[in-house]
């Protein structure tokens, strides 16, 4: 059962990370096209910068960052200070990993909850971005996908840490 759960959670984290990478690549391409269009304005070719590129970049970056969080959690790639780890007993180190994973689960849950409330707020007021007039709630919704994945992965990491303390294999 645990092995199957491990495979599913790893797949979720990978798919979200790849989707975040795809969004990031789209933002890069759009930015390059907009810059090239801005450079061609003096030649009067009818080509110019992309209207609302800042809005699109802002939304895309937020969605990409949230999509990367599950993979960082799954691979234990978040920043940490291992100053005392070499001299710490292995049991204490594993207990601290469990504590860290529990804290990340709380952060993921509270962050997702607040992101959801923010999305509902933006949706109810019909707020749009200044230039491109993109509904702001859509950016929140895109970020919410990664945030929910973050909760799932963080929950799995708590279980994984508990298994390590118990001496069970990953």
């Amino acid at each position: 059962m645990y092995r199957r759960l491990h495979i599913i959670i790893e797949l979720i984290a990978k798919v979200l990370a790849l989707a975040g990478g795809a969004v990031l690549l789209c933002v890069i391409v759009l930015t390059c096209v907009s810059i090239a269009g801005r450079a061609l304005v003096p030649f009067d070719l009818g080509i110019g910068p992309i209207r609302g590129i800042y809005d699109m970049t802002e939304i895309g970056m937020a969605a990409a960052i949230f999509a990367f969080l599950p993979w960082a959690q799954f691979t234990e790639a978040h920043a940490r200070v291992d100053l005392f780890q070499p001299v710490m007993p292995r049991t204490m180190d594993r207990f601290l990993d469990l504590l860290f994973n529990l804290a990340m689960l709380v952060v993921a849950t509270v962050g997702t909850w607040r992101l959801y409330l923010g999305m509902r707020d933006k949706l109810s007021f019909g707020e749009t971005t200044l230039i491109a007039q993109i509904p702001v709630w859509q950016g929140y919704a895109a970020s919410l996908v990664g945030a929910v994945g973050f909760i799932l992965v963080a929950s799995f990491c708590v279980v994984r840490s508990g298994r390590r303390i118990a001496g069970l294999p990953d």
Side-chain angles (χ1 to χ4, degrees):
M1 168 104 171
Y2 173 79
R3 190 74 208 139
R4 202 174 264 159
L5 181 63
H6 186 279
I7 291 168
I8 291 168
I9 294 296
E10 183 177 17
L11 180 66
I12 290 169
K14 276 184 183 178
V15 166
L16 285 170
L18 289 170
V23 168
L24 200 54
L25 286 173
C26 287
V27 167
I28 291 168
V29 168
L30 285 174
T31 301
C32 290
V33 167
S34 185
I35 291 169
R38 188 173 294 130
L40 294 173
V41 166
F43 300 111
D44 199 26
L45 300 171
I47 300 171
I50 296 174
R51 180 177 159 82
I53 188 66
Y54 298 113
D55 301 339
M56 291 178 232
T57 300
E58 184 178 8
I59 290 169
M61 289 300 295
I65 289 167
F66 274 100
F68 295 145
L69 287 173
W71 183 250
Q73 180 67 19
F74 183 79
T75 59
E76 301 173 286
H78 288 294
R80 62 191 269 176
V81 179
D82 294 334
L83 188 61
F84 300 109
Q85 189 177 17
V87 295
M88 207 182 306
R90 191 165 181 81
T91 307
M92 179 69 160
D93 184 44
R94 288 183 175 168
F95 176 75
L96 288 175
D97 277 343
L98 176 62
L99 193 62
F100 169 76
N101 284 317
L102 281 168
M104 287 305 284
L105 178 58
V106 169
V107 167
T109 304
V110 170
T112 302
W113 169 54
R114 299 307 299 174
L115 190 63
Y116 171 72
L117 292 178
M119 181 192 71
R120 281 187 36 199
D121 185 56
K122 300 299 180 189
L123 181 60
S124 69
F125 287 108
E127 189 175 332
T128 61
T129 60
L130 186 63
I131 299 170
Q133 298 297 305
I134 301 168
V136 175
W137 72 268
Q138 291 177 359
Y140 279 75
S143 298
L144 202 55
V145 173
V148 169
F150 189 27
I151 290 175
L152 294 173
V153 172
S155 300
F156 170 78
C157 289
V158 168
V159 171
R160 181 172 63 187
S161 293
R163 287 178 56 91
R164 286 177 182 164
I165 289 174
L168 298 170
D170 279 350

